[in-house]
Structure formats: C-alpha cells, structure tokens
C-alpha cells in the first residue's frame, strides 16, 4: 500500500484540501445535535421562541456550510481519485512496455492486462472511497466521542462498555466471513474455468459425445458455488440486523441510565437527547469503518499485484548514454547485415539445462541461413536472442560486428525485419498494419511490400483495398492472409536482417512457392534467417543449421548435411521420399 | 473461412469494463421489454412462492417494528422531560416498562430481518443455480453456428456476470425495494399521527429530493456512459498491445504505444472524474435536505412543544423520522437503476435460452453396430451464411478402409468437410451417408461415436494427463490409457514428467509443449478406437522426428479404417487411396497421386510448387 501511496504525492495539496473540507463537514455535522440540545434546554424548556428560531437559523447556516464542504470535497476527491488512477495506469503501462520477454512471460499477457485494467480501477476506487468515507468515519467517531463526553460526561462509561462490544462483534463477523468470501471467489473461478473449457473445446466435446459428462462437471461446480453462496449470504444475514440490534439496545441503555442521571439532576434532557444522537453517530461510523475493512483486503490484493509488476526491473537495459556504439555514423561500422553467434549459451530462468549451448555461426548479406530441428530443440529461442528479447548467459551475439548489448535496443531492432510464427495484427487498416514496420512508408512502398508478400490479390479483392479495416488481432482475416501481411510488414522496413520464424506454415504450397520466389529478389542483399519445419523450405538455403536439444548437430548445405548429419537425414526422410531428395 | 477466424479468438474472454458505479449509477443498460422480462424472471421464483411470500411478510414486519420503535423511545423521553418540568419524581417503573417493550420490539425487528435475509439467501441462490444449469443445458443443445458467431467472452459473460447481477438483485434489491416502500409509507403514517403540520413541512422536501436525484442521475449517466466507453477503449488498447508485446518490441513501437495509451487514459480521466464528482453529490445533497428537515422540525417542533401541542418525546421521534426520511427515496432511486440493469441482464440470459436449438435427433434412429465405414457425399450444398454457398454440388465416394487426403489452399473448404461429417453443421441440400444411411437419420451421439478426430487446435482440459487421454473413452482402464499413450508415442515424454500420468495440466495447458499436446490428442483418439478417423492438420506442429513415429502409429491405426486426412504434407498424401483436391469449395480434382500428376492440373501445380523453391 505504502509504495503505491507515493504516487499520490503530486496530489498532496488536493488531498490535504479534501481532508480539511471533510473535517469541516464532519465538525459542522457534529455541531447540529448540540444546537438541537440547546433548542430543547434553552428554548423549549424556557419557552423562548426567539432562542428557538435563532438557534434554528444557526443550524441552517451550519447545514449549509456542511453541504458546501461536502460538494467541494466531492469535486476534489473525484479529481484526485481518478487522477491517481491515471498516473498509476500510465506508470504501470509504460513500465510493462519496457519489459523484456523474460519479465513479460513471468506474468503472462492475460495477467498483465488484468493488473493494468481491473486492478488499477479497484485501487482507484478505494482511494476515492477512502477520501470520502474512510477518513470521515474516524473523524466522526472521534468527534462524536468528544462531543458526547462533553455533553454528558456522566455517561462516558457507557461508551467504554459499548465500543468494545461492537468492535468484538465486527471482528468476529469479519473473521467468520472473510475466508468464505475467498472460497466463494475460488469456486466462481472454477465454474468459469469449466465453462470456458466447454466453449473452447466444444468441437472435441461433441465429437467425443461428452456433453453429459461436461454437464455433470458443470453441475458439480455450480452446486458447490451455490452452497457456499447460501452460507455466506446467511452469515451476512446476521450482520446487519445484529448491528442494528446492538445499536438499539445501546440506546435503551442510554435512556435508562441517562434517565437516572436526569432524575438526579446532574443531566439535562436535551443533553441526553444529544448524547443519544452522538452515540448513534459513533456506532454508525464504526460500522462504516468495518465496511472499509471488508473492502480493503480486496484492494490490498490488487495493490500487491500492481506492486509485483512495478517492482520487477527489466533485465535488459540499453547501454548507458554515450556508451552505445553509434551505428549510424560509427567508424567501425562499415558492415551491413552481418549476424554472428559466438559460443552462445542460454538458459531460461530457473531451468537446470541450457536451451542453447555453444552455438556459433556467421550469416552474411545475400545468404539464406535456415534453422531446422524438432520441437524443443531451441529454434525459437535462438531467434528470440537476436532482437535481444533475452540476454545470453555466455558468449555473444554480434550484429554488424558489434555486440548487441553494446547498442541501443532501438538501433538494433531497426536492423531487423521479424516475421513471427503466429501472425499478429493490430486494429486499424491493412495499410496501417503494413506501416507498422515503417511509420513513414509511402503508399508505393506499402504497395510494393504487399505485392512481394503475395498479399495484393486478396487486398485488391476487398472493397476498401488497403484501407480495409483490420479487427483486433486480425480476426477478420484468414491465417494465410494474416501471415502475408505480417511478411509485408517486415518487408516494408527494408531491414538488414530478416527473421522468419516458421512463417510460412499457414500458406498453401502455391502461395508459399510464389512468395519465396518473390522474396528471393527482394531480399538479395539482406541476411535471411529462416526457421522451418518443412525440409522443402530449407533445402535451398546457403547454410542449414540443424539443432538438436539446444546444440548444433550440423551446419552445412543440404547436400553436405545429407552425407554427414544423421539427425538431418532422419528429418528429411520423415518428410520426403528418396527419389525426391535427389 | 469463418472456421479459421473464430479459432484465433482463443479461450480468453475479452475483458469487459467493470460493471456499475456507486449507488448503481454506472449501470446504463436498459431492457427492451421491462415488463415481459420481469414477469418471466419472477416466474423463476414460482417454485419458491411460499418462501418468497414469507420473506416479504417478514420484511414488512421487520420494517414496521423498526418504524414503530422511535415513537416508543420518545415516550420514555417525554416521561423524563415532563416529570422534570412538573418537578415530580420520575416514574422509573413506567420508563422501565416502556423500555422493555422497546427492547422486545427491537429484538423482534432484528429477528424478522435476519429471517427474511436468511430465507431469501436460499431462494435467490437456488433460483440462480437453476438458471445457470438451464443455460448450460441449453448451450449443449445449441448448434455450432451459435458459437462461431460469438466470442467466448460474450457467452461466458452471460453465464457469469449477468447471472451474478440477477443473483445480487434477488438477494438484496427485491426486498430492499419492499422495505423502502414500507419504510416511506410507515414513516409518513407515524409522522402524521404525531403532527400533520410538521409532516407537511418535511414532506415538502420530498419533491425537491426527487427532482434533485433525477437530475443528478441523468447528468451523471452521460458521464458514466463516456467513462464506460473510454474504459472499454483503454482495456482494448491494453489487451492489444500486451498480446502483441513481442511485435511491438521488435518493431520498436513502444513509444507510440505508450503515447496512444496516455491519450486514451486522458480521455478516460476527463469523463471519469466528472462522473464521480456528480454522482458523489447525491449523498451531500440528500444530507443537506435532511438537515433542512431536521432544523425545521427542531424549530417548529420546539415551538409546538412549548405551546404544549406536542410532547418532547414525540419531537424526538419526529427528529428521528425526519432523519430517515430521505434514505428510502435515494434507495429507491438506486434500486430502480439496479432493477433496470437486472432486467437487461435477464434479457441477455433469456436470449440464450430462446436461441434456436439444433434439429432434434431422429426419434426412430436405427441402431448402429459394426460400422464398415463407407462414406459418401451426394450432391451436397452448404454455406455458412445464407446466399453464400461454399459447396455447390459436392459428390464424394469413399469405400471402407480407404484413406482420403484432402488438399488445397487455405480457405478451400477443407475444415468444412469435417464440420459436415460430424454434423456440427447440417447440409443445405443433398445428403451425406455412412454405410448408406443418411447421417441425419442417426442420433448425433451414435454418429459421433463412429468418428475419432484429432483437430488442429489441441483442446485439453484442466485435469491430469491420464484423464485427458481417457476422455476418448471414459470407461477405459489405466492400462488402456497407457497403451494408447504408447501407441501415440506420448508415453515417453509423459514418464519424464515428475508426476507422470498424474501430471496436472494447468489452465492453458502451457506446462507442456504444443507438440506434446498434439501427442496427447492423438492418444485420446487412439483410445476412442473409432471406425472412421479424421485428422485435421494434426501433425503440423509435432517435431519432424516424432512425426516419423506418429506416422507409423497412425498408419497402424488407419489400417482397416476409413480415414480423412487434412494435411499440408505431401508425403502423407502420396500414400492416400483417394486425394480430394479442393479449391473454393469445390472438389476440382480427385484421384490417386500418380493419376493426378499425369492430369497436370491444379494438383500438379500445387505439388510441384513444393519443390520449385
């Protein structure tokens, strides 16, 4: 909590102002019963109309002040609460944008999204509510006690008895209900999980005739949730009537004991009435505070989740200012498009065995380097190291002769055109998605990239052409179309190094072949790195790197490898028959 | 086409904007037919009619006692005051009696209130339980078409969020509405019996309160709508940027993404604070009105007491009533909003319940046994959308035991074939037969028993690996599960996991690799031991070496079974008995590999392009 509170700093003056306003409001609110007592004791008892109306006037003025303060407090607290949310959101979002894949995967996209959206909204509401309620409640309570004691010090002992009783009742209740609330949430999650599985797996469920089985699973989760909900709600049914009863019994006690004081002449009836009202106020505040305590644990969970994100510092940082090798003008950089791995070893956090071990190779402009290997052989990891999504454990990766850690991430990534395995597009148009690769690309460039990527056919088939809308994630396009756009996006960059991470899988053979022919011309001067599953995709490469369990099982051309590398032979034989290899 | 699109939505529900605001002011949805929906919703309470009436009676009693008590408390005060004024000794026996009566009233009120909530908890939760059950049951009878047209999040939200809204409304709002009305009426009656004149003064506040509440609600609604929209935009942006984190990074677009975020965030702020500010005004406004009533009662009441027109205790009761007078009004206003939202939620739930179901199974379905596996499509027409025919006139003949390979470019209609075979969709015209029987004659259960399939998306559920394989046949013994795993070449990797077959797959099954998932689904299909196999690009993400093993297992499995294989790999296709070459929903060519090559048509081009590099 404390860590997040520091982001309230810029709002400090406003927060103080709200506090003052709320204080004034509470004080004026507290003043009213005293004035009422005056009406009773000085006005009514003395038969003095003038006093009654004068005090009435004062009460009205006090009420007005109270309302004005409350209005102003609402204004400032709304601005502070929502402003705080805005600051925190910006902070967390830009922080997350700086995450490398290591930190990103630690949380996962779904979890990060909830943290930035729901959790922050939660915290923001608590800040707002705290300013409006949490602060006011103790003020009212303390003020109420002070006023009550000053009105009827003889009855203060009653407060001493009643308060602990109420406090104990509240804590017992909270103690009993809190774990149940948690259990209920867990059961609701379980129900959601079952249902979500049912939705994603609907084809499988129906194909295997498991509807009944799933209905049973759902029923079980449903019943479980229902039973807990009933229990929670029944327990909660004790809470409100119980509290009210306590309050009411307290007022009986006050009248009884107070009445005896009145009889003894040490207390005025008006003061007794005021005391009664103060007592109600105290109790009411206490109930409000206890409500906050129910709200707080939920918010605390959110706070912790946000903090966990903010506490993680991205491991990958740019070299310090001025230390970065200036790639644009640097004298050492005559080279363009050279990619070298030197004895690279890398392991994921917490893993015992490195995913990649002692990988070395050099790729030069105009060459096609292919990486092939089974699932889990480390192909994708190898690719992720080049744009510095992760840092290597030992060895080094050099681009244009410079260690990637010695340049800024921006300049490094400017050299790379990356086409991911799963083509991911963004909301916008076809053109805006291609321009994602190069913000200031001209239409001619966009058009050319689309043409090379074999996307022109389907783009021109759309009524809006390049301005055709793309929905979030590109769901309105087929897998093959998305992949071609992802390729166009990389092409428009005219990068020095192309990385294709198994990017042709969603394409049919025909498009695939045409695309590769077109790419050949387009990328003649660039370095190409292709990760593939299909042997036919890599057969023509200048250099094939065969990965096996994170180590290089062989490097060479198709021909060389067929003779020297058994792993490669096996892979090839699994896909292509003998006669076709030749 | 729409097949592929849906799949990309994944299992994660879209994050909706959080619901509601303080005092229900954030709830904006309006039901289309409030009355009809209300009637239908109350229909769910009918099985609990007795209990519901009981709850209402308890609520009324508890409220009535609650309203009565200040009046009685006032009696005690009056006795105190008048004794002092008259200078006589206070009659504590009388006060004691009054207080005792009061105590009993308080206890009764609390007990009734407790009883009401206690009983209602059961009624509300059971109603909601039934509702959820009904929806789930309904969902299992809806055609695939329904699912393909909607995101998972949308459907999920109806079963969870909407039902939750209804549940809360039943639990609280319904009785609150009754108690509010009773309280308002009760207070007015009590006040009238004390002093009609003072009552008039207080009631004058009523229209003001009403108008003020309405105006504020109306104004804040506008801002809440804006806030909700901006929040939606913000969530959308966050979701998109974070899902595409890697792409954003590699293309160096972080700054652009942050800039856009801040822009949306600023918009959100400008509506959010206004919404919060204006809605935050209701409380102080009501408080102020309350205070005015309070002061009026104090002053005028005071005068009346001095004139002997009213007892002091009655004044005290009056003050109490005036203090609680506006509360039911604000409460009713917010409940009205909540009820609207509830009806809107109920409407969405009923919408699901009213969806058109799948064509029911043929009641005279013939029993099937010993399926040979002859499959034929006869003049099949089909389209996902009306007027958008994917299959014009499809004829396919497959003899039992044959392997049919379906090839063609993306979007050619390959997956659709599977959808039709398993009756996920029904054909528009023509028919599909298995062993000469129209598949619409069979029950869906029987039909699907015949098929075993391994789909492109490897669906596994949150359970152990063993359970996931056994999904193919629930009565399978442990031994059979292991055998299937061995046959699918999954046994080895399963045994390397620390918990072996008892390894729990997490929610997204991300604790095993994509290839391993595929192996499990293959094992699942093997265990099911179907007469006809459907393999939908099943081997595309299993690594190539494992694939050799799988192919061997598959060859074994396919022996003697009719198999439909949708694959990109020509090596598997070459061995097929029949190749269906599809393009734009049509079978453009069919035959064996060698024959098709000789034809030198579409297939030949497709095939050669593989090697033209």
């Amino acid at each position: 909590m404390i860590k997040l509170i520091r982001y309230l700093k810029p709002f400090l003056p406003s927060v103080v102002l709200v506090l003052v306003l709320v204080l004034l409001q509470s004080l004026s609110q507290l003043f009213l019963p005293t004035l009422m007592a005056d009406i009773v004791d000085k006005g009514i008892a003395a038969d003095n109309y003038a006093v009654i109306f004068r005090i009435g006037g004062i009460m009205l003025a006090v009420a007005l002040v109270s309302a004005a303060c409350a209005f102003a407090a609402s204004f400032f607290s709304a601005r502070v609460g929502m402003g705080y949310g805005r600051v925190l959101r910006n902070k967390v979002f830009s922080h997350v944008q700086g995450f490398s894949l290591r930190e990103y995967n630690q949380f996962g996209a779904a979890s990060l999204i909830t943290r930035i959206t729901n959790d922050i909204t939660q915290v923001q509401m608590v800040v707002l509510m705290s300013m409006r309620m949490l602060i006011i409640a103790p003020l009212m309570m303390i003020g109420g006690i002070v006023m009550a004691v000053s009105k009827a010090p003889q009855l203060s002992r009653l407060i001493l008895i009643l308060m602990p009783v109420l406090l104990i009742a509240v804590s017992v209740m909270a103690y009993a209900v809190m774990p149940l609330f948690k259990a209920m949430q867990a059961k609701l999650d379980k129900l959601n999980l079952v249902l979500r599985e049912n939705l994603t797996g609907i084809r499988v469920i129906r194909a295997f005739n498991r509807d009944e089985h799933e209905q049973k699973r759902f029923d079980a989760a449903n019943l479980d949730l229902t039973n807990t909900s009933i229990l929670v709600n029944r327990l909660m049914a004790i809470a409100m009537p119980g509290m009210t009863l306590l309050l009411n019994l307290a007022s009986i006690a006050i009248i009884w004991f107070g009445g005896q004081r009145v009889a003894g002449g040490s207390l005025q009836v008006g003061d007794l009435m005021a005391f009664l009202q103060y007592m109600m106020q105290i109790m009411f505040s206490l109930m409000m505070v206890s409500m906050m305590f129910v709200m707080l644990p939920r918010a605390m969970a959110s706070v912790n989740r946000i903090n966990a994100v903010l506490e993680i510092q991205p491991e990958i940082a740019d070299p310090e200012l001025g230390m970065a090798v200036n790639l644009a003008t640097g004298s050492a950089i005559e080279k363009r498009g050279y990619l070298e791995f030197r004895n690279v070893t890398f392991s994921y956090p917490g893993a015992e065995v490195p995913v990649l071990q002692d990988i070395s190779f050099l790729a030069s402009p105009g060459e096609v380097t292919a990486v092939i290997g089974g699932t889990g052989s480390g192909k994708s990891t190898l690719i992720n190291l080049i744009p510095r999504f992760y840092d290597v454990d030992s060895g080094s990766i050099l681009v244009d002769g410079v260690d990637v850690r010695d340049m800024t991430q921006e300049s490094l990534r400017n050299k790379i055109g990356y086409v991911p395995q799963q083509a991911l597009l963004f909301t916008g148009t076809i053109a805006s998605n291609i321009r994602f690769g190069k913000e200031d690309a001209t239409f001619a460039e966009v058009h050319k990239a689309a043409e090379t990527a074999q996307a022109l056919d389907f783009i021109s088939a759309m009524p809006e052409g390049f301005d055709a809308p793309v929905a979030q994630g590109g769901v309105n396009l087929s897998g093959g179309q998305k992949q071609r756009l992802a390729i166009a996006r990389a092409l428009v960059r005219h990068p020095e190094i192309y990385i294709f991470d198994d990017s042709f899988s969603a394409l049919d053979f025909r498009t695939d072949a045409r695309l590769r022919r077109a790419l050949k011309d387009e990328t003649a001067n660039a370095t190409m790195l292709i990760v593939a599953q299909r042997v036919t995709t890599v057969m023509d490469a200048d250099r094939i790197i065969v990965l096996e369990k994170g180590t290089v099982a062989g490097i060479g051309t198709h021909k060389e490898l067929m003779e020297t590398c058994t792993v490669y032979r096996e892979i090839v034989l699994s896909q292509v028959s003998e006669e076709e290899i030749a | 086409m729409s097949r592929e699109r849906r799949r990309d939505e994944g299992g994660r529900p879209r994050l909706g904007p959080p619901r509601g605001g303080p005092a229900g002011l954030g709830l904006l949805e309006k039901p289309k037919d409030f009355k009809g929906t209300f009637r239908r919703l109350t229909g769910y309470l009918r099985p609990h009619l007795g209990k519901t009436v009981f709850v209402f009676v308890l609520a009324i009693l508890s409220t009535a006692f609650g309203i009565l008590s200040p009046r009685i408390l006032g009696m005690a005060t009056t006795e105190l005051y008048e004794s002092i004024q008259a200078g006589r000794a206070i009659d504590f026996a009388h006060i004691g009696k009054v207080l005792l009566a009061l105590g009993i009233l308080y206890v009764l009120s609390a007990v009734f209130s407790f009883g009401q909530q206690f009983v209602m908890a059961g009624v509300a939760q059971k109603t909601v339980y039934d509702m959820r059950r009904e929806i789930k049951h309904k969902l299992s009878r809806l055609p695939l078409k329904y699912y393909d047209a909607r995101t998972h999040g949308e459907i999920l939200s109806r079963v969870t969020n909407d039902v939750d809204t209804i549940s809360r409304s039943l639990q609280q709002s319904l009785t609150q509405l009754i108690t509010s009305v009773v309280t308002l009426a009760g207070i007015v009656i009590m006040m009238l019996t004390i002093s009609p004149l003072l009552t008039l003064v207080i009631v004058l506040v009523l229209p003001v309160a009403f108008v003020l509440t309405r105006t504020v609600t109306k104004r804040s609604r506008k801002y809440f709508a804006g806030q909700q929209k901006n929040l939606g935009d913000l969530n959308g942006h966050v979701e998109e940027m974070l899902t595409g984190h890697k792409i954003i990074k590699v293309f160096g677009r972080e700054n652009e993404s942050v800039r856009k975020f801040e822009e949306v965030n600023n918009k959100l702020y400008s509506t959010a604070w206004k919404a919060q500010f204006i809605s935050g005004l209701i409380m102080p406004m009501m408080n102020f009105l309350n205070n005015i009533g309070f002061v009026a009662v104090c002053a005028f009441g005071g005068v009346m007491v001095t004139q002997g027109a009213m007892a002091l205790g009655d004044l005290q009761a009056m003050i109490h009533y005036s203090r609680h007078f506006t509360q039911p009004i604000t409460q009713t206003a917010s409940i009205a909003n909540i009820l609207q939202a509830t009806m809107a939620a109920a409407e969405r739930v009923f919408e699901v319940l009213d969806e058109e179901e799948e064509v029911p199974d043929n009641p005279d379905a013939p029993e099937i046994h010993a399926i040979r596996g002859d499959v034929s499509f006869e003049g099949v027409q089909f389209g996902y959308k009306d007027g958008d025919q994917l299959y014009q006139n499809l004829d396919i003949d497959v003899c039992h035991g044959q392997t049919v390979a379906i090839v063609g470019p993306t979007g050619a209609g390959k997956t659709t074939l599977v959808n039709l075979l398993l009756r996920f969709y029904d054909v528009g015209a023509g028919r599909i037969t298995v062993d000469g029987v129209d598949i619409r004659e069979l029950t869906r259960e029987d039909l699907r028993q015949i098929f075993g399939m391994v789909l492109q998306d490897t669906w596994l559920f949150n359970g152990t690996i063993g359970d996931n394989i056994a999904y193919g046949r629930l009565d399978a013994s442990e031994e059979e599960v292991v055998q299937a795993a061995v046959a699918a070449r999954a046994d080895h990797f399963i045994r390397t996991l620390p918990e072996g077959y008892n390894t729990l797959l997490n929610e997204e099954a991300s604790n095993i690799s994509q290839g391993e998932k595929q192996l499990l689904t293959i094992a699942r299909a093997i265990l099911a031991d179907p007469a006809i196999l459907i393999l939908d690009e099943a081997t595309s993400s299993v690594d190539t070496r494992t694939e050799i093993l799988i192919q061997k297992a598959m060859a074994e499995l396919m022996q003697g079974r009719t198999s439909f294989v949708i694959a990109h790999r020509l090596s598997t296709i070459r061995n097929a008995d029949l190749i269906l070459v599809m393009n734009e929903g049509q079978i453009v060519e069919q035959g064996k590999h060698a024959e098709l090559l000789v034809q030198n048509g579409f297939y030949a081009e497709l095939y050669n392009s593989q090697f033209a590099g």
Side-chain angles (χ1 to χ4, degrees), chain B residues 514-558:
Chain B
Q514 185 60 32
E516 288 163 345
K517 279 189 233 174
Q518 209 119 46
L519 289 177
L520 291 186
T521 59
I522 291 169
R524 187 168 65 188
I526 289 175
L527 187 67
D529 190 26
I532 304 175
L533 267 180
I534 296 174
L535 309 173
D536 178 3
E537 291 179 336
T539 50
S540 60
S541 44
V542 175
D543 72 81
T544 36
R545 296 186 70 204
T546 316
E547 198 190 321
I548 309 175
L549 305 174
I550 291 173
Q551 277 179 353
K552 280 180 188 157
M554 279 297 168
E556 225 168 273
L557 184 72
M558 295 193 310

Side-chain angles (χ1 to χ4, degrees), chain A residues 32 44 47 49 52 56 59 63-64 70-71 74-75 78-79 82-83 86 89-90 93 96-99 104 110 113 117 128 132 191-193 195-207 209-210 214-215 218-219 222 225-226 229-230 233-234 237-238 241 245 248 252 259-260 262-263 276 374-375 384 389 413 418 420 424 426-427 435-436 439 475 478 482 493 506 508-510 513 520 533 536 548 570-571 574-575 580, chain B residues 1 3 5 8-9 11-12 15 81 84 90 92 103 106 110 113-114 117-118 121 125 129 132-133 136-137 139-140 142 144 147-148 156 159-160 234-235 240 242 244-247 249-251 253 257 261-262 265-266 268-269 273 276-277 280 284-285 288 291 294-295 299 302 305-307 316 358 409-410 419 424 445 448-449 453 459 461-462 471-472 474 507 524 543-545 548 568 571 574 602 605-607 609-611 613:
Chain A
L32 288 178
I44 300 174
D47 280 347
Y49 295 171
I52 293 179
M59 284 174 88
L64 205 62
F71 271 50
S74 172
F75 178 80
R79 287 183 70 102
M82 299 299 121
R86 175 173 68 165
R89 255 192 295 270
N90 278 344
F93 185 76
V96 168
Q97 285 288 298
F99 275 8
Y104 175 78
I113 292 167
T117 55
L128 182 69
R132 286 185 183 165
L191 187 79
N192 273 333
L193 173 69
L195 195 68
R196 199 159 61 219
E197 280 181 353
N198 269 264
L199 290 174
T200 49
I202 183 122
R203 280 182 166 73
V204 179
I205 291 164
R206 295 206 173 168
N209 282 324
R210 289 290 170 270
E214 292 300 327
Q215 181 85 37
F218 182 84
D219 273 354
N222 192 4
L225 172 66
T226 305
S229 309
I230 292 180
N233 278 307
R234 288 194 169 159
I238 302 176
L245 185 63
N248 287 333
I252 291 182
Q260 281 165 356
V262 172
L276 203 60
T375 324
N384 281 335
F389 287 150
R413 288 168 190 163
Y418 170 77
L424 189 102
F426 298 94
T427 317
R435 281 213 179 90
F436 201 85
E439 238 170 300
V475 288
S478 79
K482 277 193 284 184
R493 255 171 120 75
D508 55 84
F509 305 121
R510 232 147 63 123
K520 222 174 216 173
Q533 303 253 11
T536 47
E548 163 91 344
E570 275 180 45
I571 294 173
S574 75
Q575 298 181 22
E580 279 156 354
Chain B
M1 203 76 274
R3 239 28 339 85
R5 286 177 202 167
D8 294 309
E9 301 267 323
R12 196 159 43 79
L15 291 159
Y81 177 73
I84 297 290
I90 297 168
F92 273 102
Y106 281 149
S113 167
F114 164 73
Q117 285 185 49
F118 185 89
Q125 296 307 325
Y129 168 82
R132 272 199 219 104
R133 204 185 140 96
K136 173 70 186 79
H137 197 62
L139 284 178
S140 68
L142 286 175
L144 260 264
Y147 296 93
D148 287 339
L156 213 57
V159 189
T160 53
L234 184 100
N235 288 356
E240 185 157 25
L242 286 189
H245 188 73
K246 195 165 156 184
I247 303 295
K249 295 228 104 173
V250 78
F251 284 103
R253 297 287 289 244
S257 151
F261 179 85
E262 287 177 354
N265 199 6
N266 283 342
L268 172 64
Y269 168 73
W273 81 258
Q276 293 302 339
F277 166 53
M285 251 168 30
F288 181 58
N291 282 336
F294 175 60
V295 173
V305 173
T306 50
Q307 288 174 340
Q316 188 191 334
E358 282 184 320
T410 343
N419 279 337
F424 288 148
E445 187 169 351
R448 289 169 189 165
Q449 200 83 56
M453 62 172 195
W459 181 81
F461 67 92
N462 177 222
Y471 206 81
L474 285 187
E507 249 178 79
R524 187 168 65 188
D543 72 81
T544 36
R545 296 186 70 204
I548 309 175
H568 278 149
S571 49
R574 248 192 342 257
F602 192 78
E605 191 191 340
L606 211 60
Y607 180 77
S609 66
Q610 249 292 60
F611 304 94

Side-chain angles (χ1 to χ4, degrees), chain A residues 475-508:
Chain A
V475 288
N476 56 339
L477 298 170
S478 79
Q481 290 170 339
K482 277 193 284 184
Q483 210 151 51
R484 278 174 273 173
L485 287 182
I487 292 169
R489 177 171 67 190
L491 283 169
V492 82
R493 255 171 120 75
H494 298 297
E496 297 169 23
I497 301 169
Y498 282 98
I499 302 175
F500 292 94
D501 187 357
D502 202 8
S503 321
F504 306 108
S505 57
L507 303 180
D508 55 84

Side-chain angles (χ1 to χ4, degrees), chain B residues 282-298:
Chain B
I282 286 208
M283 277 269 281
M285 251 168 30
M286 285 299 142
N287 206 7
F288 181 58
L289 283 179
N290 239 328
N291 282 336
I292 291 181
F294 175 60
V295 173
V297 170
C298 283

